[in-house]
Amino acid sequence: MSHRVADELGYKDMDNISAASSRHNSENLPYVHKVGVPPKQNLLKEIAGTVKETFFADDPLRQFKDQPRSRKLVLVFQALFPIFEWGRNYSLSKFKGDLIAGLTIASLCIPQDIGYAKLANLDPQYGLYSSFVPPLIYAFMGSSRDIAIGPVAVVSLLLGTLLQNEIDPSENPVDYLRLAFTATFFAGITQFTLGFFRLGFLIDFLSHAAIVGFMAGAAITIALQQLKGLLGIKKFTKKTDIVSVMRSAWSAAHHGWNWETILIGMSFLAFLLVAKYIGKKKKKLFWVPAIAPLISVVLSTFFVYITRADKHGVQIVKHIRRGINPSSLNEIFFSGEYLAKGFRIGVLAGMIALTEAVAIGRTFASMKDYQLDGNKEMVALGTMNVVSSMTSCYVATGSFSRSAVNYMAGCNTAASNIVMSSVVLLTLELITPLFKYTPNAILASIIISAVISLVDIEAMTLIWKIDKFDFVACMGAFFGVVFSSVEIGLLIAVSISFAKILLQVTRPRTAVLGKIPRTTVYRNILQYPAATKVPGILIVRVDSAIYFSNSNYVKERILRWLADEEEQLKESFRPGVQYLIVEMSPVTDIDTSGIHAMEELFRSLEKRDVKLVLANPGPVVVDKLHASKFHEMIGEDRIFLTVEDAIVTCAPKMDLEP
């Protein structure tokens, strides 16, 4: 086809450079550059390059180059235990900041841990255990300077819900606890595996919008679950959906509510919300909302003790086991029917915990301008939870509220976690008996005040403004959690996130381009109404790689653009399209199906007497066009470096054609 056109136009040499040179000499037109063909790569090098970009994009071995063996061993040790890297430059001034931050987050975590353990249907001491061992391990292995480690509300609720579906904690508390440790073990294994094999990119498949919706839904669910403690209800539904919870709460209104409990809970909830408001308005008073939960526990416990309100229906914590974490290695199910159930629950809980921790770590790392290795964080969190499962802890991760307080309190390193852990140790050894008269209502108030910030209205509004599909994902996750269950909400969040990816991959955007006046730039005519089409030439840009999943759609969409253009030209009695230029700069890759689609497009255009032209294909695309011999089918003179080069070349040919 290309040779016939050349004969008609009187060209003797089809080489693009020669043709361009002759035009330059005879018609004084700009020089047209030929598209370069990348050199052939060795197959092994190509595979190695792909693997490196996929799994080692951050080049983690860069620091080991040109280092003696002894230094390499030191670097390996520091990579595994970052504390030995930042510990070399540790000073008294840094310790002062870490000490204040550690004491501050300890005052916040102790009452929260007791409440979060109840969310997971565990005894209060297990919440404290999970703020003793995990922070110590993370301080040695974690790379974030700001994350505060411990139990969190969302993971506690998720774990409690999933475990409760398998074993009733009231009927079989021993096996329930063992399953909790098993799930924690597999949560750690999941996190460690993702980090060790550098598969951290998998958690990015859960979109930000889906996470916002899921967290907000979980916050509402958690808050509703606290109605039991806040209203003093003894018999309460084990379901988490809003309909069941509200029905259960309302049905107990005439005989199950306790006014003393309501008075205590509502009073301290108001106090906690006011403290949080003060801290939000005046950043220097960050310590007010941080210490408010502990003050609430102390005051409410003292009030219940002196009035003996527990004798009047006010439910209290009662006994908290004294002492540090006992070993639980023999409690983990390594065989039997609960092994698979523990694995499934652990994977889900581990992924959610990982997503939250990495997001928090990256947020504060960007605020302090330092790099956070996501895969290294996963290894640290995984190791932490594996060890924790053997020391009577349940899944721990980074807490946003505590990390924010840690940051504002002036923490400098992960040593603040060591300080917090030390305070929890003293609490376990000395203070736990004092929590005997702590009312459940105050724990409910603390949890409600903690999770209310997870409902991020501003983020939801921004998502609505930016991307309506993202908003659908956000609301799908939110309503899934609120009206069904945490696992259904999570399933909806993941499903919608994958649906968006599939939609974008299978239905990529295409656009018709026009020339911006007084420039050689060609842009989308919908974005730039002043851009003008070139007579007889249709320019279409494909904004995606062309794969088996979208190749047929891309071909059909281009033909539809052509049909629409021909129809408009026919109605206005103007000449039809003679050249169709495909702008390929956004096309980063093309596979076999994509090549076949381009061949079919070429044949379809040939039947319509329209010539196919390609502009600015990338090196990967050019390499595959040559490997498939497509460049011979279309002709080397139909592949150009820019759209302008294609126009300069095609426009004179149109003038010469009869």
Side-chain angles (χ1 to χ4, degrees):
M1 178 67 182
S2 59
H3 292 289
R4 289 200 303 272
V5 173
D7 292 338
E8 290 173 9
L9 296 177
Y11 292 114
K12 296 180 180 180
D13 189 353
M14 286 307 297
D15 181 83
N16 198 34
I17 296 179
S18 300
S21 299
S22 64
R23 288 197 302 275
H24 177 71
N25 294 329
S26 61
E27 302 174 25
N28 204 27
L29 292 175
Y31 181 80
V32 176
H33 294 271
K34 187 174 181 179
V35 174
V37 181
K40 282 287 183 182
Q41 279 191 331
N42 180 278
L43 179 60
L44 292 178
K45 287 184 177 180
E46 188 175 349
I47 294 173
T50 302
V51 171
K52 181 180 178 181
E53 285 302 312
T54 303
F55 299 104
F56 304 96
D58 55 344
D59 195 10
L61 302 179
R62 182 177 60 253
Q63 59 181 328
F64 296 96
K65 291 179 180 177
D66 304 322
Q67 297 289 344
R69 182 174 297 179
S70 58
R71 179 59 182 164
K72 287 180 180 178
L73 290 174
V74 172
L75 290 173
V76 168
F77 195 70
Q78 289 179 348
L80 292 174
F81 303 100
I83 190 172
F84 293 105
E85 181 179 2
W86 56 259
R88 292 182 304 165
N89 302 316
Y90 202 64
S91 62
L92 183 61
S93 61
K94 288 183 178 180
F95 176 70
K96 288 179 181 178
D98 289 335
L99 178 63
I100 294 171
L103 292 173
T104 306
I105 58 177
S107 67
L108 176 63
C109 84
I110 292 170
Q112 282 186 349
D113 291 344
I114 297 172
Y116 292 160
K118 285 187 170 293
L119 273 180
N121 301 312
L122 297 170
D123 291 335
Q125 65 266 19
Y126 293 104
L128 295 172
Y129 292 162
S130 300
S131 278
F132 169 47
V133 174
L136 285 177
I137 298 170
Y138 183 84
F140 279 83
M141 298 189 67
S143 54
S144 173
R145 306 171 193 168
D146 305 280
I147 283 183
I149 295 295
V152 296
V154 174
V155 176
S156 298
L157 174 68
L158 177 64
L159 200 63
T161 303
L162 296 177
L163 292 173
Q164 189 174 253
N165 290 340
E166 303 298 337
I167 302 175
D168 191 327
S170 58
E171 294 181 2
N172 192 354
V174 175
D175 282 348
Y176 181 89
L177 182 61
R178 292 185 65 187
L179 188 60
F181 295 150
T182 305
T184 302
F185 175 80
F186 284 112
I189 292 295
T190 300
Q191 295 168 339
F192 182 89
T193 302
L194 289 175
F196 183 79
F197 291 104
R198 306 190 68 80
L199 300 173
F201 59 86
L202 293 177
I203 65 172
D204 294 331
F205 281 100
L206 194 60
S207 68
H208 171 71
I211 292 172
V212 169
F214 176 78
M215 290 295 186
I220 298 297
T221 301
I222 291 167
L224 290 174
Q225 288 285 306
Q226 303 317 303
L227 290 177
K228 177 183 179 182
L230 201 64
L231 303 176
I233 302 172
K234 293 183 179 180
K235 292 184 179 181
F236 200 70
T237 181
K238 293 181 180 179
K239 296 180 179 179
T240 59
D241 64 282
I242 187 172
V243 176
S244 299
V245 171
M246 294 307 296
R247 184 187 294 122
S248 181
W250 188 251
S251 63
H254 300 293
H255 55 83
W257 292 12
N258 182 276
W259 71 267
E260 291 98 335
T261 301
I262 295 172
L263 179 63
I264 294 171
M266 290 299 182
S267 300
F268 282 102
L269 178 60
F271 168 69
L272 292 167
L273 292 177
V274 169
K276 179 169 281 193
Y277 178 79
I278 292 171
K280 189 176 182 180
K281 286 295 180 182
K282 296 185 178 181
K283 300 297 182 184
K284 291 183 179 180
L285 298 177
F286 68 89
W287 54 269
V288 174
I291 202 171
L294 189 59
I295 293 174
S296 301
V297 168
V298 172
L299 292 178
S300 62
T301 302
F302 180 71
F303 174 77
V304 170
Y305 178 74
I306 62 172
T307 61
R308 298 314 305 263
D310 56 309
K311 301 293 185 182
H312 298 85
V314 175
Q315 298 176 40
I316 58 176
V317 172
K318 296 181 181 178
H319 176 69
I320 298 181
R321 181 176 173 176
R322 190 173 182 174
I324 62 172
N325 311 30
S327 173
S328 57
L329 177 60
N330 295 329
E331 302 295 317
I332 299 173
F333 288 113
F334 289 112
S335 61
E337 61 175 316
Y338 292 124
L339 175 62
K341 295 176 180 178
F343 174 78
R344 179 178 59 83
I345 296 170
V347 169
L348 285 174
M351 292 291 283
I352 293 298
L354 197 58
T355 302
E356 187 171 358
V358 172
I360 293 168
R362 286 173 177 170
T363 299
F364 289 106
S366 64
M367 292 169 68
K368 284 192 174 180
D369 194 27
Y370 66 89
Q371 293 296 319
L372 188 73
D373 187 335
N375 290 295
K376 191 183 293 184
E377 281 294 284
M378 293 174 193
V379 170
L381 292 166
T383 305
M384 177 188 79
N385 278 313
V386 168
V387 176
S388 298
S389 69
M390 302 175 186
T391 53
S392 299
C393 304
Y394 73 96
V395 182
T397 187
S399 165
F400 187 81
S401 60
R402 276 178 253 176
S403 299
V405 171
N406 196 32
Y407 170 80
M408 290 186 288
C411 71
N412 295 301
T413 67
S416 59
N417 277 290
I418 298 177
V419 174
M420 178 189 72
S421 180
S422 302
V423 174
V424 173
L425 170 62
L426 293 174
T427 302
L428 284 167
E429 288 288 1
L430 304 173
I431 307 175
T432 48
L434 300 179
F435 290 114
K436 178 180 179 180
Y437 290 99
T438 301
N440 289 339
I442 196 64
L443 300 179
S445 300
I446 290 170
I447 291 173
I448 291 172
S449 66
V451 301
I452 199 169
S453 59
L454 293 177
V455 183
D456 196 340
I457 302 298
E458 289 184 9
M460 291 181 181
T461 305
L462 184 62
I463 290 169
W464 167 258
K465 291 178 180 178
I466 294 175
D467 193 320
K468 301 301 185 290
F469 196 97
D470 265 356
F471 186 76
V472 171
C474 180
M475 289 296 100
F478 175 79
F479 287 118
V481 174
V482 171
F483 285 98
S484 185
S485 63
V486 176
E487 56 266 41
I488 293 298
L490 182 60
L491 179 62
I492 292 174
V494 173
S495 299
I496 295 179
S497 296
F498 270 101
K500 182 181 180 181
I501 294 171
L502 290 173
L503 187 63
Q504 290 178 337
V505 169
T506 58
R507 294 294 182 268
R509 296 181 186 275
T510 58
V512 172
L513 307 185
K515 186 176 183 180
I516 304 293
R518 297 182 296 278
T519 71
T520 59
V521 177
Y522 294 80
R523 290 292 182 267
N524 189 339
I525 59 175
L526 296 179
Q527 184 180 1
Y528 298 93
T532 57
K533 296 179 181 179
V534 180
I537 300 176
L538 176 64
I539 310 168
V540 178
R541 187 183 67 213
V542 180
D543 294 334
S544 167
I546 304 177
Y547 291 129
F548 66 93
S549 58
N550 62 22
S551 57
N552 195 52
Y553 170 80
V554 169
K555 179 197 70 176
E556 291 179 352
R557 190 67 187 91
I558 292 174
L559 290 174
R560 198 155 71 248
W561 280 121
L562 177 62
D564 293 343
E565 183 71 13
E566 291 278 13
E567 189 176 338
Q568 292 177 14
L569 293 173
K570 189 175 181 180
E571 290 176 355
S572 58
F573 303 102
R574 286 181 291 173
V577 175
Q578 297 180 43
Y579 289 89
L580 189 148
I581 301 175
V582 180
E583 218 282 60
M584 301 188 75
S585 55
V587 181
T588 56
D589 201 353
I590 188 169
D591 67 0
T592 308
S593 298
I595 295 292
H596 286 316
M598 296 302 292
E599 291 173 350
E600 291 172 7
L601 176 65
F602 173 77
R603 296 189 189 98
S604 296
L605 294 177
E606 198 173 38
K607 292 175 183 177
R608 293 173 170 82
D609 201 24
V610 176
K611 301 169 183 64
L612 177 63
V613 177
L614 305 182
N616 196 20
V620 175
V621 176
V622 170
D623 184 49
K624 293 184 178 181
L625 292 179
H626 279 72
S628 64
K629 307 296 183 183
F630 181 74
H631 70 294
E632 295 179 1
M633 175 184 287
I634 189 176
E636 286 281 5
D637 62 326
R638 301 274 186 81
I639 304 176
F640 295 92
L641 186 64
T642 66
V643 174
E644 177 66 13
D645 284 354
I647 297 294
V648 167
T649 304
C650 296
K653 292 183 180 181
M654 290 169 54
D655 294 337
L656 292 173
E657 289 178 355

